[in-house]
Amino acid sequence: MAFEPHFEPHAEPHLPARSWRPWLVALGLWLALAAVAALALWRMHRDAVEGQSREINLLSLALADEIARGLQGAETALRALGSELRDERVPLHGPPATQALRTQAELMPLVRKIWIVDAGGALIAASDATPAPELRLFAPAPAALAGDAVALSRPFEDPATHQLLVAMALRFGGVRGREAGWVVGGVPAPTLLGAFTAATPAPDARMAVFRSDGARLAGTIVRTPVLDEATIAARLASRPSLDLRRFRDGSWHLVGLRSVPRYGVRMMLTRDLDAVLAPWRGAVQLAIFGAALLLAVMALAVWGVQRADRRHALAQHALTAQLARASKLEALGTLAGGVAHDFNNVLVAIVGYGEMAQDEAAPGSDQARYLDRTLQAALRGKSLVERILAFSRGGARASTVFELQPVVAEVLHLLAATLRPGIVIERRFEAPGARLRGDPTQVFEAVTNLCTNAMQAMPDGGMVTVAVERLRLADERVLSHSRMAPGDWLVISVIDVGTGITDAVMERLFEPFFTTRAATSGTGLGLAVVHGVVAEFGGGIDVASRPGAGARFTLYLPESRDEVGVAAVPGAAAPAGGGQRLLVVDDEPELVALALEMLRGLGYDPVGTSDPAAALRTLREDPGAWAALITDEVMPGLTGTALTQALRPFAPALPVLLVSGWGGAQLAQRAAAAGVTRVLAKPLQRAELAQALALLI
């Protein structure tokens, strides 16, 4: 009979009479929530400003360093040109001079144009026809420059391209008695902003570059703080700082200031405070609306507090019952593996002795009929155990050799029936006959998860491309989430044209329970399962994606050169043994006795023990005396896989048949690593055991 929760009247919570107390409680609660919300909003405001301040501070430091390195590169190149001019390795007149300077400009960082002017500012040579900047535009004045100093000009327009240029001038020695002049390099003003456009923290961020006298060289700042140029220059000349400034239009900005003393350059980085605090203001509005709504709801709900308490009590009882059901399912899953193991041992005896009794029964007799039904019931019990193991996720995975492309094709065939309108699947299979060793169900699950994710990443439709190909790596390859060794690999690629993956999501992509979807749209285990499957196969995974440009998931799985396994034919005659000597190990003496009797009937010479340590000693004394070892997995002291691993140093070629009803997760992989030849699940039918031994011996 199903259990339904039932609550007696005396079990309901006590309902107080109407009074002024609920009003006080409601008002006190509302005031407490309002205070907590105000404190949270204050901290949110502080964290937003401080966090953005730190970001601007770091970005301004990086941009200032980039400006310094860029100007230093230009200076180094111009000084090298000055040395060549002084040594007369570069002509100063005619077309050869123009061509030489043009070549130099093409090789220099930042510099696009070069002029050579004399001490009076007269042009000697240039890389093109653009007029040289006037010396009065430079600061400090070129005539006052020390030997290793440089001067920067105000921005001036290139008449040919209408592009703003900033010139850098430095002194070079005279040539053939000519008075020393200046090498002047023209730098496009926007290049002084460096990587700001790519690294800008937000659309409202602005940057400007100034000379030490306050002249602006480049920038995107269209509004300036309420400071004149002299005051700005004085502020920039002080230590680097980050503060809050009011601009001329009344807006407030976070302002970061940095200087490059070597070139007399200062840079300013700003962010609009309104933009920085936009999320905070939205939170304030939402908090105010929520507080008002909460107050109204509480005022309307005070009169029904007693009924609300009753509903709350009933809900608590229902929740308790729900938690009890969940706990029961969890406990069943934990116990299912152990129960299945013990139940399998019972079924082993039923099936084994039942088959032997069936041999002794006269064909067509009532006894034979009763035994047939007994074995049918036992096999139904075996099917039940398999379902229990599937529920508990405690059964061993199969480890076989299988072709890859038919498994992937089956996935696509099943998905084709559930495609949304606008979704197209393209297949590119270029590895016919390619084989893997492992569990084909795991590959099926991994490809299904990747294809499902790809389709969900394209809400407006698109194409999903699934490719299978061979790849031979001659050298080690580093992937986004793995490192691949040289060898032969099978590659499965799933490519979509969806929304792509951000860097933040990429870092947590394969974390269990991490998902970017709503709680009802996924558990966050799909990609974790894919990663686990790839790891279990000993492969690797690579993810390539950009936001808005789709994603490509590539699985690398080791190719197997073994032949595809051929399943035994049901009902085939059991091959008889030839008196080979077998060692049987099981911690259940009754099962050892059953195995011995069954193996003798199959024509073998078995010896049994329920002590795995004694079995190991026996094998060590004379390993060549045994044709095969048949062992259980779950045994006290020494498991079947541990026994196999221990005997391999002195009996490397001895066939081992591992027979187990439950061995925990990844039993097949652990058994293969230990050197087990074959794994079979309990309970075994005699024909199945005979066929397995015929293949081993």
Side-chain angles (χ1 to χ4, degrees):
M1 178 180 295
F3 174 77
E4 294 293 339
H6 178 67
F7 307 107
E8 298 296 337
H10 65 270
E12 294 184 0
H14 177 68
L15 303 179
R18 295 178 182 273
S19 67
W20 49 269
R21 290 182 180 178
W23 292 97
L24 292 180
V25 171
L27 180 60
L29 179 61
W30 184 86
L31 290 175
L33 292 174
V36 170
L39 178 61
L41 290 171
W42 174 79
R43 294 192 63 175
M44 186 185 299
H45 180 281
R46 184 194 63 185
D47 292 344
V49 174
E50 290 181 355
Q52 193 55 230
S53 297
R54 286 192 298 270
E55 185 175 349
I56 290 178
N57 190 41
L58 292 174
L59 183 58
S60 64
L61 180 63
L63 291 172
D65 180 67
E66 184 179 12
I67 293 172
R69 286 187 284 105
L71 292 177
Q72 184 178 7
E75 178 190 353
T76 301
L78 291 175
R79 288 198 183 280
L81 176 60
S83 298
E84 293 181 359
L85 291 171
R86 184 179 60 251
D87 298 340
E88 301 186 14
R89 286 180 288 168
V90 176
L92 284 176
H93 301 287
T98 300
Q99 181 60 40
L101 294 179
R102 182 181 298 117
T103 301
Q104 291 280 351
E106 292 173 353
L107 298 176
M108 291 183 183
L110 295 184
V111 176
R112 297 294 179 269
K113 300 177 183 295
I114 300 176
W115 300 274
I116 309 299
V117 298
D118 60 16
L123 181 66
I124 299 175
S127 61
D128 59 21
T130 304
E134 300 179 14
L135 296 182
R136 63 181 180 82
L137 297 177
F138 287 86
L145 283 179
D148 62 342
V150 297
L152 295 178
S153 73
R154 287 177 176 268
F156 61 95
E157 185 178 275
D158 181 354
T161 63
H162 303 290
Q163 183 182 35
L164 287 180
L165 300 175
V166 174
M168 173 186 287
L170 52 86
R171 186 183 299 276
F172 78 99
V175 179
R176 293 184 181 179
R178 183 189 296 272
E179 185 178 353
W182 292 274
V183 178
V184 181
V187 177
T191 62
L192 295 178
L193 301 180
F196 169 76
T197 304
T200 178
D204 61 281
R206 299 290 183 268
M207 175 185 173
V209 181
F210 298 89
R211 261 185 352 196
S212 57
D213 59 356
R216 191 169 88 162
L217 303 181
T220 59
I221 297 179
V222 297
R223 298 172 294 180
T224 56
V226 185
L227 298 171
D228 55 27
E229 285 196 350
T231 306
I232 293 176
R235 287 287 297 161
L236 291 170
S238 64
R239 63 179 178 85
S241 63
L242 180 71
D243 52 15
L244 193 62
R245 289 287 171 182
R246 182 171 176 268
F247 278 42
R248 298 184 186 278
D249 61 356
S251 62
W252 287 87
H253 288 244
L254 291 171
V255 179
L257 306 173
R258 293 281 175 180
S259 65
V260 185
R262 164 67 183 166
Y263 302 100
V265 171
R266 314 286 188 259
M267 60 85 60
M268 175 186 292
L269 185 65
T270 71
R271 273 213 66 186
D272 192 334
L273 187 61
D274 286 340
V276 172
L277 296 179
W280 177 80
R281 289 195 174 91
V284 171
Q285 295 174 357
L286 184 61
I288 293 175
F289 174 78
L293 181 61
L294 178 62
L295 183 61
V297 170
M298 292 176 70
L300 292 174
V302 166
W303 64 272
V305 169
Q306 294 177 343
R307 187 176 63 178
D309 287 342
R310 184 183 298 110
R311 288 198 302 268
H312 177 70
L314 295 175
Q316 285 294 102
H317 281 278
L319 180 59
T320 301
Q322 183 183 22
L323 291 175
R325 289 193 297 270
S327 299
K328 180 179 65 176
L329 291 175
E330 183 177 356
L332 284 174
T334 304
L335 294 175
V339 172
H341 176 262
D342 294 339
F343 190 34
N344 265 323
N345 286 340
V346 175
L347 290 176
V348 168
I350 296 174
V351 173
Y353 285 116
E355 286 187 328
M356 287 187 288
Q358 193 177 40
D359 292 340
E360 300 298 328
S365 65
D366 289 343
Q367 182 182 9
R369 183 163 51 86
Y370 298 155
L371 288 172
D372 286 341
R373 293 186 178 181
T374 300
L375 289 174
Q376 291 173 4
L379 293 177
R380 286 197 299 271
K382 178 181 178 181
S383 176
L384 174 62
V385 170
E386 290 174 351
R387 291 197 294 271
I388 293 175
L389 289 175
F391 165 74
S392 67
R393 301 182 182 181
R397 290 283 191 175
S399 181
T400 61
V401 178
F402 63 94
E403 288 194 17
L404 174 60
Q405 286 191 168
V407 176
V408 180
E410 184 179 359
V411 173
L412 302 185
H413 176 73
L414 293 177
L415 291 177
T418 61
L419 291 180
R420 301 195 318 270
I423 299 291
V424 178
I425 296 182
E426 178 190 25
R427 62 174 69 188
R428 294 205 304 264
F429 290 172
E430 301 173 1
R435 299 184 295 274
L436 293 174
R437 175 175 287 278
D439 184 2
T441 304
Q442 289 185 294
V443 175
F444 184 96
E445 186 176 5
V447 176
T448 301
N449 280 329
L450 290 180
C451 292
T452 302
N453 279 5
M455 291 186 290
Q456 291 175 345
M458 300 186 300
D460 299 325
M463 177 177 290
V464 177
T465 303
V466 181
V468 180
E469 57 186 335
R470 286 185 171 95
L471 176 66
R472 171 165 291 182
L473 290 181
D475 301 307
E476 185 179 61
R477 176 177 294 184
V478 178
L479 310 179
S480 65
H481 292 77
S482 307
R483 178 174 294 178
M484 303 305 303
D488 294 329
W489 300 92
L490 298 182
V491 182
I492 306 173
S493 301
V494 178
I495 309 164
D496 66 69
V497 293
T499 55
I501 305 170
T502 64
D503 292 340
V505 173
M506 184 74 77
E507 292 301 319
R508 306 184 61 190
L509 196 60
F510 295 105
E511 290 184 12
F513 305 108
F514 174 72
T515 178
T516 58
R517 306 191 187 101
T520 57
S521 300
T523 63
L525 286 172
L527 290 179
V529 168
V530 173
H531 191 275
V533 169
V534 172
E536 191 162 345
F537 271 83
I541 186 165
D542 185 62
V543 184
S545 178
R546 289 183 300 168
R552 180 189 185 107
F553 286 79
T554 306
L555 309 184
Y556 294 79
L557 305 175
E559 184 175 4
S560 174
R561 299 299 183 185
D562 298 335
E563 294 297 326
V564 175
V566 179
V569 179
Q580 296 92 336
R581 199 176 186 198
L582 307 179
L583 181 60
V584 179
V585 185
D586 196 304
D587 62 318
E588 296 283 347
E590 296 82 0
L591 298 185
V592 173
L594 170 63
L596 295 180
E597 191 168 349
M598 183 183 296
L599 290 170
R600 290 191 190 100
L602 292 174
Y604 295 98
D605 179 18
V607 176
T609 178
S610 57
D611 184 354
L616 183 60
R617 290 193 297 271
T618 301
L619 290 169
R620 182 178 284 111
E621 291 172 358
D622 188 7
W626 305 97
L629 169 67
I630 304 174
T631 177
D632 188 20
E633 168 62 10
V634 180
M635 296 184 294
L638 199 64
T639 64
T641 51
L643 173 61
T644 305
Q645 190 170 15
L647 66 85
R648 280 311 176 202
F650 58 85
L654 179 67
V656 177
L657 178 61
L658 184 68
V659 182
S660 179
W662 180 77
Q666 298 183 337
L667 174 60
Q669 288 75 13
R670 288 188 284 111
V676 172
T677 312
R678 186 167 181 181
V679 179
L680 292 179
K682 288 182 180 180
L684 282 178
Q685 290 181 275
R686 182 172 49 183
E688 186 179 2
L689 177 60
Q691 290 172 353
L693 289 173
L695 293 174
L696 292 182
I697 301 175

